Amino acid sequence: AEGVVLVPHLIACISGKGGVGKTTTCSSLAGALAQQGQRVLVVDMDPQSNLTSGLKVDPYALDSSVTTLLIDPDQLPSEVMLHTAWERLDLLPATPEMSAVEGELGMSLNREFALRDALAREPFLERYDYVFFDTPPNFGFHTINVLAATEYILVPVQMSGYAIKGLKELLRTVHLARQQLNPSLAILGLLATFVNNRTTFSRDMLAGLRQIPNLRVFETVISVTVKLQETALAAEPITYYAPSSLASHAYRALAEEVLSLFGSRRQEEDG
């Protein structure tokens, strides 16, 4: 309808530990949705800058990044945004200097809202259908900023003995963030990663996850595959790097699940 401002769906990939497929899920799901006609922005909030370098951008060669966005009140998101090599997929990149942001902001008031406020400096986000945030593997300053800025959390859960312990810590952090920072924060769902269908352990753990009350577990599971490790070296989302691979099929299926939860605005507008 004329005059209606479309607001994107804001989804953060968060896990309290590393190596669970968080950055891979962020880039792969974003790529799959972009291929399906959605306009997607990915925001790298991890000083390791793996999402940035995984989208063919050199974090050491950037003049501006999310770092400048957080510490410079005059910096606009549209000035930092980069078009990636793939259609409809844009990036707010990170650099290793981001680890110093917390010190730069010192004890300033509302520093937990630095990201949220920076993104609201101009009508920028409304050009996108989906915005994905990648986060560090901890619950420090950068992750807290994402929790204050996002609507939804997608949680990759590795099929390992430590996963449930990590999940409990994440749920506790989300509960606190909801109370203190962002009352509308919701968990979109849990995504089982590094699933080995040949082991009883993986199957039992997945069954256990599906029994947790009031938490969606996506039907899609991400199996163990060397192709996903290759994508980091190739610096391409899996759906572009190896479109016919099992991992690509899985992330496209996940994209379909996400679209079914929200509907596809592009199709609604075009239809």
Side-chain angles (χ1 to χ4, degrees), residues 55-76:
L55 293 172
K56 290 195 190 307
V57 174
D58 180 0
Y60 295 95
L62 296 170
D63 294 325
S64 61
S65 66
V66 174
T67 307
T68 44
L69 197 58
L70 293 174
I71 60 178
D72 180 357
D74 296 321
Q75 182 82 71
L76 296 175

Side-chain angles (χ1 to χ4, degrees), residues 23-269:
T23 302
T24 299
T25 291
C26 210
S27 69
S28 303
L29 180 54
L33 284 165
Q35 281 182 315
Q36 294 191 32
Q38 304 297 298
R39 296 170 303 182
V40 184
L41 173 73
V42 286
V43 183
D44 194 348
M45 280 295 285
D46 187 350
Q48 291 180 44
S49 316
N50 288 337
L51 181 65
T52 298
S53 55
L55 293 172
K56 290 195 190 307
V57 174
D58 180 0
Y60 295 95
L62 296 170
D63 294 325
S64 61
S65 66
V66 174
T67 307
T68 44
L69 197 58
L70 293 174
I71 60 178
D72 180 357
D74 296 321
Q75 182 82 71
L76 296 175
S78 58
E79 297 166 341
V80 176
M81 182 272 289
L82 300 173
H83 297 298
T84 71
W86 302 280
E87 203 177 349
R88 294 183 295 275
L89 182 57
D90 292 346
L91 167 70
L92 285 180
T95 60
E97 287 125 46
M98 188 189 271
S99 52
V101 167
E102 189 173 5
E104 293 259 355
L105 290 173
M107 296 309 293
S108 60
L109 282 172
N110 292 334
R111 64 185 196 149
E112 296 89 353
F113 299 104
L115 175 64
R116 185 195 71 182
D117 295 347
L119 292 174
R121 280 178 199 147
E122 61 178 332
F124 169 71
L125 291 183
E126 63 195 47
R127 66 183 77 175
Y128 299 103
D129 302 305
Y130 287 90
V131 177
F132 288 94
F133 301 91
D134 192 27
T135 57
N138 58 53
F139 298 119
F141 169 81
H142 299 91
T143 302
I144 296 299
N145 256 268
V146 170
L147 288 169
T150 193
E151 292 176 293
Y152 299 101
I153 299 169
L154 190 156
V155 187
V157 181
Q158 183 181 5
M159 296 295 99
S160 77
Y162 298 108
I164 297 300
K165 184 182 172 195
L167 183 58
K168 284 179 181 170
E169 177 67 12
L170 182 134
L171 294 176
R172 192 179 70 83
T173 304
V174 169
H175 179 69
L176 288 171
R178 203 178 277 140
Q179 287 182 318
Q180 297 171 18
L181 298 171
N182 185 353
S184 60
L185 189 62
I187 293 179
L188 186 66
L190 311 182
L191 174 69
T193 60
F194 293 91
V195 175
N196 187 339
N197 295 313
R198 291 191 295 258
T199 66
T200 310
F201 178 82
S202 250
R203 289 197 301 270
D204 289 350
M205 214 184 134
L206 188 53
L209 272 187
R210 296 197 191 282
Q211 286 168 1
I212 300 174
N214 306 317
L215 274 180
R216 176 187 288 107
V217 178
F218 287 105
E219 290 298 320
T220 302
V221 302
I222 308 302
S223 300
V224 178
T225 166
V226 73
K227 274 280 180 268
L228 285 175
Q229 293 162 332
E230 290 174 10
T231 58
L233 294 171
E236 290 186 39
I238 186 70
T239 53
Y240 298 95
Y241 171 71
S244 59
S245 66
L246 288 174
S248 268
H249 287 301
Y251 277 111
R252 280 197 292 271
L254 179 63
E256 291 289 355
E257 282 195 69
V258 170
L259 285 172
S260 71
L261 293 174
F262 295 117
S264 172
R265 282 215 311 248
R266 296 273 64 72
Q267 288 166 10
E268 287 168 20
E269 286 176 34

